[in-house]
């Protein structure tokens, strides 16, 4: 019973931050740097996973999910619950990127974009 309790209460640190076109993913105690192409690879890979298949299949190979972080073999393997959290983080970041792109196409500058333009001058 104690082992099951630890699985429920232990939470893996997952954060995703962006500075310009660089992303920093923190998984536990490891930090992974990603460029926009690597971010898109990871995002599309996670979107391609059938969550119903993972949730409905009781085989042990469906308890963990391998997530690619680059095209040259970097990856992390996460428990299904951590994968769901990471997928949500990447989805939110993608939403933010699309919103920023839409605003820029309309000629509306976000605070972050204005700061980058100021730094570049």
């Amino acid at each position: 019973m104690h082992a099951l309790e630890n699985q429920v209460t232990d939470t893996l640190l997952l954060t995703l931050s962006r500075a310009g076109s660089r992303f920093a993913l923190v998984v536990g105690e490891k930090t992974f740097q990603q460029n926009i192409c690597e971010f898109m690879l990871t995002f599309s890979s996670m979107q391609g996973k059938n969550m119903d298949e993972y949730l409905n299949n009781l085989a042990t190979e469906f308890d963990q999910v391998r997530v690619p972080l680059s095209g040259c073999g970097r990856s992390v393997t996460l428990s299904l619950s951590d994968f769901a959290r990471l997928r949500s983080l990447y989805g939110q970041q993608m939403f933010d990127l699309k919103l920023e792109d839409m605003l820029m196409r309309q000629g509306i500058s976000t605070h972050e974009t204005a700061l980058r333009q100021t730094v570049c001058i």
Side-chain angles (χ1 to χ4, degrees):
M1 179 67 171
H2 185 63
L4 179 60
E5 185 178 295
N6 283 342
Q7 288 179 342
V8 173
T9 58
D10 286 347
T11 302
L12 181 66
L13 173 66
L14 293 174
T15 62
L16 178 65
S17 58
R18 182 183 120 199
S21 62
R22 304 287 302 165
F23 298 85
L25 171 64
V26 177
V27 179
E29 296 179 6
K30 294 182 181 177
T31 301
F32 302 93
Q33 300 296 324
Q34 290 186 304
N35 60 36
I36 190 74
C37 293
E38 292 168 324
F39 170 84
M40 294 301 292
L41 169 79
T42 300
F43 178 75
S44 65
S45 168
M46 287 191 289
Q47 296 308 307
K49 301 281 188 211
N50 182 346
M51 286 300 288
D52 287 336
E53 182 180 2
Y54 277 87
L55 292 170
N56 292 326
N57 197 319
L58 298 177
T60 57
E61 68 249 20
F62 288 88
D63 291 346
Q64 297 193 340
V65 183
R66 183 182 165 277
V67 180
L69 300 177
S70 72
C72 57
R74 282 188 314 158
S75 66
V76 292
T77 301
L78 301 171
S79 69
L80 189 54
S81 62
D82 290 330
F83 171 76
R85 289 178 36 233
L86 186 64
R87 185 172 161 165
S88 178
L89 284 173
Y90 271 78
Q92 181 62 50
Q93 185 65 61
M94 180 56 91
F95 174 81
D96 292 346
L97 288 170
K98 289 188 70 73
L99 179 61
E100 185 178 309
D101 179 60
M102 182 189 74
L103 291 172
M104 285 184 353
R105 283 185 278 129
Q106 297 296 319
I108 302 169
S109 195
T110 64
H111 178 69
E112 183 177 304
T113 304
L115 285 175
R116 274 186 276 159
Q117 289 173 351
T118 304
V119 171
C120 292
I121 296 177

